[in-house]
Every structure is written in structure tokens, then in C-alpha cells.
Amino acid sequence: METLNRKNPPVIQQITNISIPKLDKGFLGNGIPFSALSGGSQEFVYIHLTFNAGALYSNQKLVGSFTNNMLTCGTRNHTAQQIVDTFDFYGAEIQTNCNPDHANISLFCLNKYADKLLPLFCEIISESIFPESELKIAVANQKYKWTEEHESTKILAKEALLNQTFANHPYSRTAQLADFDKLTVDTLRDFHSKHYNSNNCQLIIVGYITNDVMKTIESTIGQMKTGKKVIADNFEIGETVSTKPLIITKETAVQTSLRMGCSTIKMQHPDYHKLHILLTVLGGYFGSRLMSNIREEKGYTYGISSTIVMYQQAGLLRIASEVKAGFAMQVVDEIKKEMQRLKDEPISNEELNLVRNYMTGELIQQFDGPLLSFDQIYKTVAYDVDMSYYTDLQNTILTITAKDLQATANKYFDFDRLATVIVGKE
Amino acid sequence: MCLFDNFAYKHICMINFDKFELDNGLQVIVHQDKTTPIVAFNVLYKVGSRNENPDRTGLAHLFEHLMFEGSINISDYDRHIQLASGENNAFTTSDYTNYYITLPKQNIETAFWLESDRMLELDFSEEKLKIQKGVVIEEFNQRYLNKPYADWRLIMHRLAYHVHPYMWPTIGKNTMHIEYAKLQEIKDFYFNFYAPNNAILVVAGDVETKQVKELAEKWFGPIPRRNTVKNELPAEPKQMIPQELEIERNVPLNAIYKAYHMGDRLSKNYYASDLISDILSNGESSRLTQRLVKQQNKFTNINAYILGSNDPGLFFVEGFPAEGVSFEEANKCIINELENIWKDPVSEDELTKVKNKIEMTKELSEVNVLNKAISLAYYEMLGDANLVNTDIINYQNVSRDDIEKTAKEMFTAGNSSTIYYKSAQKDK
């Protein structure tokens, strides 16, 4: 028998033809634009509405998120308990989620229960009454949660970085305990009636989409009341407040939360893919420069990452890590060194090839089935790009050169704008 | 309010698979799914933290890290995965250690090559051990020590178990055990437990059994069978006396944690206990949330869940008492609701609800090949891969009587362990 040569790797195929799914797009009867992707063998659907109703749309803190969270807290016809009983009974899931730009609500259910649940789903979106008693409970519980969360160095670091990078923009607004007590049901009802209508939202449907399901969606969501589209004011993103490290001391912390960042380009920008690839080289995968240096060579952290956090009005270039106490400044130096190296030296063909293959695989996996594709579809809906974003990304991954990456680093890695936040010891 | 349907699992698709064993004892399972370009490649080793020496805990997990640091013929495991457009990761539990790769089906042989080499032998070194100790200690810090409240699990395991190795969590008793682990101990651990005859390989995706068989024979076939010695695990005696502990930490709010001993993963008791935990706290409509948070305002947040483990496990309740609610009162409220499982018996609708949730969870767990591969390996470890299809019937068969009987047996004072997690900030 021929002996096996284990030192020789099997031949690897570079994948060059990823099939980015095509969405079914259209409008419901009342004008709600929808994007749908059907597939999978499990008979369930995920139905997701995105409203222009995030934190950005109110001058008062917390109004966006409380309105969104409290959609399940009662309508004229159903109490909060009846609502949650019904969704739970059918094994379905209602999720609400509010970010600075958008308020989201989704229903996840087996197809066979869609006709039983969609009418109630629409009712809570259109006819929520925000009972006083429910607001009281929600405020008390959220205040507790806030207090608990603000013990964590991660939350403190996240907020501090936003303050350093998005100063004066509503994105940097953070709620304090007193803000919870200022909430009233009237404010929420006002905000709700202005923002939760069929002209101010977009619909995404993924899963096993049958004609029956579409008919039910049309006769429920397609009948939701109309209203006015709300457009957010365009706020200016200011300059980075300071590039001097902001240190928040927390003596009890065993680890230090380190964040670095600056405002950067948005998804629509022609350089976005290049910057995304560059940040993958720096700290976007296990074999990245930062992971190799700080975790695998030095053992200072369990993980470190670099990425672009997306917002409608800006992007945030961010590097994040939980670092061994006492080593934060050393890690800051190493991060800067790695960034400088990307500005000074083109990356090798070998590394570029590795990143290409890795990112291609990532893209294939992100579109493996309708449910996993949802996150990618959401990005297009929420940040005003279309699915060609992903074919462009794929092309850029395959064609980007070392020179392009170096130029991108020189353009967007600007130490004069890079804020540093350190929360913990040192 | 609604006309509720009966629980129906007619929609549930079967997961078909083939199974064979290599001469060296490696069990191989193949599941074909032609709908995806991705192949999942999963290797489960039947070793976890319960197999550790009580004086050297955390070794199984530390070892998991070393599996990525190079094998006898291949120095850079991760790089080859990335080159093959794949992703990989691993996790360690008290009962087993699981490694997985997902990659485009064209590159499936890379997975065979990499996984078989690290089953054959690792390239151990002092330097690599030293660095991974650092990483694992930072993981310990990040997950358990730098996170408010997170150390309760370390404490609870110590409180609830007295002889069984579940008395320490997978991460280990403390960071010292990790710091002082010696290279020889690591090597012994490997040669004792990382053997083809102690592992299960699952390949799921657009593959043919014949192709998998050939590749498995080629890459895994030559690995010699090893003499794996498993320590006899001491059975935890029935707990008769309530265990209580008050601890003070620099956290903003009080918390209370309770644990009750329950059955092992394949016992009838397990399925009833799982459903009880769902009745108590799965979803907004559940009993603990509705009664203790929304109606009585005694807690701001409360949860119940179970630890499904090969040996008898634990049923947990964790809650944050509301302002002005003492530990004593909070504890009483919880006990009251646990006893209500039989005093205010579960209705047929309530039982149907939690069974519907289980069905949904099962459907969800089968959306991608990776989840299916992990499930198949897990059930094969329990004794029968086909449980992936039939386990739901065990839930189906739980009756209201079973629920009451299980709760009555489990929720006794003698069987309970309680941690009063006191906020040092509250005294100020």
C-alpha cells in the first residue's frame, strides 16, 4: 500500500462563482415595499418590519426603544398577557429591536399558524395603547437592567467611544437613570401614531413562502393603516473629540475594555468594500494581524476585532478587545503598529490569497439558506443599498490588489482622528 | 381565547443518515443534504471536564485550545481552513469536546486531512502551552470574573455536588489549575482520550456515503486504536440537606440562584424537567415572568432552565429581586411557584404550549447542516444517532401527571442549593 504523505495538503479550489440569491421585490396593497426570499425545507416563515422610528427620531431619550419594546403590552382588544399567551402557544416568537436608526418588529412562526398569528401581529403594531401600568413595570425593570449593565466595562467603553467619535450627533446620546422617569404614556402614544404606519416601513419575508402565506400577509400587513413617511434630520458628524486615550478607572475590573475608533465612510461609498477587506486583514478573522499578534503571540486577550459599525448617517471604524489588566497601553501600541504596517508595506500575495479565500467562504456561508440570508437582506433594506452590494463585494474580494489595500490604509487609518478608550485598570 | 390546535409533528422532516465504523473504532455518520453548497465536518471526542483530575481542572478545555496549535505534520491548522474558504471552531462541555468545520463541498478533503492529522498526534511544545494558558486565563476572566454575577456558576457547582466531577465547571475550578498545568499532563490527557475509538465523525452536506467512506478510510483509517482508560466517575449521592450560601460582591443589585438535582439526559425525568423549566420561564407568557415580574412585581427578571448532562444534572432558577424585596421573601416566592406546578396544576393548554415550543426549536435546529451534524454526533454519543429524529417523541409522551410527579420529587428543600448573591453597593 502506498504510504500517505500527510505533509502534502489536498488541492484546494478557489471558489469564484458564489450565487447571491435574487430577491422577490414588490409592494403590498397599501404600498409597503417588500423583499422576499423563499427556500429551505422547514415550513416556517420569518416576517420582519423595519420602521423609520429609531432613537434618532425623537429628541427625548428612550422614546424610540420604549415604544418599540412595548408593542406587545396591550391593545384595545387584547391585554399584554393575552398577546404573549397567543404567540407563545403556537411556539411563535415576536422580537422587537430598536437601534439608533430603526425600530424593528418580527414574527417567526410555523407556516401552519401564520393565518392565526398575523392578524394579532398587525394589531399590536397598529393599535397598541401603551397602558400606564405596563409602562411602570417596564420602567422599573429597565432601570434595573441599566444599573446592572453599567457595571460592565464593555458597556461603559462602548458609550465612551461613541462620545469621543460622534460628539453632538444623536448617535452618541446615552440614557441616564433619570431619563427613564421622564417617559410618559402620552409621549409613547404620540411617537407611535406618528411613526408606525404603512408608509414608514419596509417588509422582509424569508423562509418557506407559499402562496397561502403571501395571501395572508397581503390581507393583514397589506391592510395596515397608511400615514406619512418620516425622514430623519441629517445631523453633522463632528470631529473626534480627542485622540488622547480616555481612561475610565474601575479598580474592581479583572480585565480592561479597550476600544479605538473614528467615524468613517458609509456602505454606499465606493471605497467601502476595500475598507471592509482591509479591516478583515487587520482584525476580521482568526488569522488576522491583530489576532495573531495579540492573542496567538502574546496571549493578552481571548479576542480582538476590527470592523465597521453601520449607521444610516455614518460608519464607525472600530477596534475592540477585552485585554488582560495592566496591558491595555501595550496593546494600543501594538494596534497602532499593525495599522502603520498596513500603511507602509503592501501585504504579501500569500496573505492576500488567504484573505480572499476566507472572505469568499464567509460570503457563501452568509447566504446558506433563507434564514442565514436574512441579516444580509436586512443590511440592504436598512442602509439603502441593493443586493448588487454583495456581487460587488465578491468582485472586489477577487480583484483587489495589495496596492489598493495599502492606499486604503493610507486614506482611512488616520491617527489624528483615532480615539482611544480604556475602561478598567490602567 | 383561541381555538388551539393539537400538537402535530407531521411536518417534521426526518434526518436520514448512514453509519459505519472503521477498523480502528472510529464511528462515522453521513447525512446527505443536497440543498447547500456547504459541508459540515464534525468530530466529537467523548471526553469532557468530568474526566479531569480534581487537582487539575480545566484541562479538557485548555486542551481544546492546543488542538489548534499545530499537529504532527501540519503546523498551521487555521490557515489551511481559511485557504479552503472554511470556518471552524470548537467547544468543550463537562461530557464531551466537539470540533467542527464548515467549508465549500469542493474542499472537503482538506477537512479530512486536517482533522485526521490532529487525531494522529499533536506537535506539543512548552511555548505553545504557555501562550494558550494566557489566552484561556483571559477567557476565564472575560466569561466568569470580569462579568458581574458570572461567578455564581462556579460557586453553585461546588455547592450542589460533593463527589461527582460536575462540582467544577468546564472552565475549571480556578485560574491556578490552568496556570500550573504541565506539558506531560497535557500529553497524557491526549493519548488517553483523543483516540479514533473514542470519537465520532459526522459529515453532512451534498456528499455521497461512498465518497465519505473512501476519504475516511484514507485519512483516518491508518490511525491506530488506542487504549483509552476512563476513570470511574463517582455517583453523586442523593442530597438530603438544603445547601445555602450568602456571598457579597461588588455588584449593583442582589440576585438569588437556586439549583435542584434532576435526572440524566436520557432519563424520563429529564424530559419532564425540561418542560417544567419551559412552563416556568420560556417566553413572556411563562409563569415566573407573568406572576413574579408582571403581576406581583417581586422580581425584575427571573429565569429557570436545566443543564442536560450525561450524568444527573441540575435544574436552575435565577432571579433579580425587585427593590425592597428581601432574600427571604424572594426565596419564598420562588418556592411557591415551584410548588404551584402541582398545587395549581399545569393545564392541557399550558402543556401543549411548551410542546409546541419544543417543536419550533427542533425545526430551527435543522435549518443548516452544521446544526444537524452536531446533533447527530451528540445523539450518537448518547447511544443512538437516530434519537435526532425520535427524541421529540419522548417530549410528546410527557403527561400532566409526569409533570406533577417530577416536580414533587425534585422541588424539595433537601434537594435544593441556594446562593444569596448580595450587593456590597447596596449597603452603602
Side-chain angles (χ1 to χ4, degrees), chain A residues 19 28 84 105 171 177 185 203 219 234 236 252 270 276 283 321 323 329-330 337 358 366 383 395 411:
Chain A
S19 67
L28 299 183
V84 294
I105 179 163
Y171 290 153
L177 271 179
V185 291
L203 172 66
S219 68
N234 221 329
E236 196 161 327
T252 52
H276 172 48
S321 182
V323 179
M329 284 318 286
Q330 263 163 276
K337 221 187 273 172
Y358 169 76
Q366 284 172 345
Y383 303 105
N395 290 336
K411 200 162 165 190

Side-chain angles (χ1 to χ4, degrees), chain B residues 89-151:
Chain B
N89 214 330
F91 58 88
T92 310
T93 77
S94 48
D95 300 320
Y96 64 101
T97 312
N98 195 70
Y99 299 84
Y100 57 87
I101 302 170
T102 50
L103 77 180
K105 65 182 177 198
Q106 294 89 332
N107 293 335
I108 184 176
E109 191 159 1
T110 301
F112 278 92
W113 173 61
L114 289 167
E115 284 305 334
S116 62
D117 202 50
R118 58 183 190 175
M119 189 183 283
L120 182 70
E121 197 176 336
L122 288 192
D123 180 25
F124 297 100
S125 85
E126 291 287 357
E127 181 58 21
K128 289 174 189 171
L129 177 61
K130 190 178 147 222
I131 286 169
Q132 288 310 312
K133 278 180 184 177
V135 172
V136 168
I137 289 169
E138 288 318 305
E139 182 179 357
F140 200 130
N141 288 335
Q142 185 169 329
R143 291 204 173 156
Y144 295 90
L145 304 180
N146 202 39
K147 213 159 116 191
Y149 305 98
D151 66 341

Side-chain angles (χ1 to χ4, degrees), chain B residues 29-298:
Chain B
I29 293 171
V30 186
H31 164 65
Q32 190 179 58
D33 177 347
K34 285 182 169 292
T35 66
T36 167
I38 300 293
V39 166
F41 193 96
N42 192 82
V43 180
L44 182 151
Y45 290 94
K46 295 184 230 175
V47 56
S49 56
R50 69 174 177 168
N51 304 107
E52 291 164 351
N53 173 343
D55 302 321
R56 192 56 84 231
T57 64
L59 209 70
H61 170 251
L62 172 63
F63 191 81
E64 174 214 306
H65 277 251
L66 286 167
M67 282 282 279
F68 293 91
E69 297 304 302
S71 51
I72 193 75
N73 295 295
I74 309 164
S75 63
D76 39 6
Y77 177 93
D78 285 293
R79 195 175 66 87
H80 288 288
I81 296 277
Q82 289 147 10
L83 267 176
S85 296
E87 300 215 26
N88 64 284
N89 214 330
F91 58 88
T92 310
T93 77
S94 48
D95 300 320
Y96 64 101
T97 312
N98 195 70
Y99 299 84
Y100 57 87
I101 302 170
T102 50
L103 77 180
K105 65 182 177 198
Q106 294 89 332
N107 293 335
I108 184 176
E109 191 159 1
T110 301
F112 278 92
W113 173 61
L114 289 167
E115 284 305 334
S116 62
D117 202 50
R118 58 183 190 175
M119 189 183 283
L120 182 70
E121 197 176 336
L122 288 192
D123 180 25
F124 297 100
S125 85
E126 291 287 357
E127 181 58 21
K128 289 174 189 171
L129 177 61
K130 190 178 147 222
I131 286 169
Q132 288 310 312
K133 278 180 184 177
V135 172
V136 168
I137 289 169
E138 288 318 305
E139 182 179 357
F140 200 130
N141 288 335
Q142 185 169 329
R143 291 204 173 156
Y144 295 90
L145 304 180
N146 202 39
K147 213 159 116 191
Y149 305 98
D151 66 341
W152 78 269
R153 277 287 293 276
L154 309 176
I155 299 160
M156 184 59 95
H157 282 260
R158 250 178 3 229
L159 197 61
Y161 288 102
H162 295 96
V163 300
H164 192 280
Y166 288 164
M167 78 171 91
W168 59 87
T170 305
I171 193 80
K173 283 179 182 168
N174 55 53
T175 51
M176 301 285 267
H177 278 199
I178 298 162
E179 219 165 315
Y180 292 126
K182 291 188 196 68
L183 191 60
Q184 192 55 49
E185 292 168 329
I186 299 282
K187 284 185 182 172
D188 292 346
F189 187 88
Y190 177 78
F191 287 109
N192 195 24
F193 294 113
Y194 278 68
N197 44 313
N198 198 37
I200 300 160
L201 164 66
V202 181
V203 183
D206 190 1
V207 293
E208 301 289 339
T209 300
K210 186 171 166 279
Q211 167 202 13
V212 173
K213 209 171 206 164
E214 282 167 13
L215 288 168
E217 290 286 1
K218 175 178 172 187
W219 293 104
F220 287 93
I223 302 171
R225 183 186 282 269
R226 285 181 192 131
N227 183 20
T228 63
V229 183
K230 287 210 178 162
N231 43 337
E232 196 65 43
L233 302 178
E236 187 68 25
K238 189 172 164 54
Q239 182 183 322
M240 308 297 283
I241 302 163
Q243 306 288 313
E244 288 196 344
L245 188 69
E246 183 174 305
I247 54 168
E248 197 172 276
R249 291 284 186 276
N250 189 26
V251 292
L253 313 161
N254 289 336
I256 179 169
Y257 299 96
K258 293 181 80 71
Y260 292 87
H261 291 275
M262 57 172 268
D264 65 76
R265 182 60 183 79
L266 289 176
S267 64
K268 204 176 165 196
N269 170 290
Y270 170 87
Y271 300 96
S273 302
D274 197 7
L275 291 174
I276 291 171
S277 74
D278 286 348
I279 288 163
L280 287 170
S281 99
N282 189 348
E284 276 286 300
S285 73
S286 59
R287 286 186 172 201
L288 293 179
T289 304
Q290 280 300 322
R291 296 177 183 180
L292 297 184
V293 178
K294 300 208 87 170
Q295 288 159 19
Q296 299 167 28
N297 303 334
K298 298 290 187 195

Side-chain angles (χ1 to χ4, degrees), chain A residues 41-42, chain B residues 11-20 28-34 40 201-209 212 362 366 368-369 371-377 379-380 384-390:
Chain A
S41 47
Q42 269 69 28
Chain B
H11 284 296
I12 292 172
C13 317
M14 289 282 285
I15 297 182
N16 296 313
F17 59 88
D18 289 326
K19 204 163 106 174
F20 57 91
V28 186
I29 293 171
V30 186
H31 164 65
Q32 190 179 58
D33 177 347
K34 285 182 169 292
L201 164 66
V202 181
V203 183
D206 190 1
V207 293
E208 301 289 339
T209 300
V212 173
K362 179 178 159 54
E366 291 168 13
N368 67 46
V369 278
N371 287 350
K372 288 191 277 189
I374 293 175
S375 290
L376 281 164
Y379 281 118
E380 182 62 22
D384 178 12
N386 196 42
L387 275 168
V388 76
N389 292 310
T390 58

Side-chain angles (χ1 to χ4, degrees), chain B residues 6 152 214 293 310 334 379 400 416:
Chain B
N6 280 323
W152 78 269
E214 282 167 13
V293 178
N310 288 23
I334 292 174
Y379 281 118
R400 289 159 70 193
S416 73

Side-chain angles (χ1 to χ4, degrees), chain A residues 128-182:
Chain A
S128 268
I129 54 170
F130 304 94
E132 191 83 56
S133 57
E134 294 285 338
L135 177 62
K136 228 177 107 191
I137 298 170
V139 164
N141 294 347
Q142 291 300 317
K143 275 168 83 172
Y144 260 66
K145 201 174 154 199
W146 187 98
T147 311
E148 190 201 325
E149 277 180 0
H150 281 74
E151 277 303 301
S152 136
T153 52
K154 282 187 187 180
I155 297 282
L156 296 174
K158 179 188 167 196
E159 294 185 353
L161 183 66
L162 284 173
N163 279 321
Q164 293 290 84
T165 50
F166 288 161
N168 303 321
H169 192 285
Y171 290 153
S172 71
R173 282 195 315 213
T174 47
Q176 301 305 311
L177 271 179
D179 295 315
F180 290 88
D181 297 316
K182 291 180 191 149

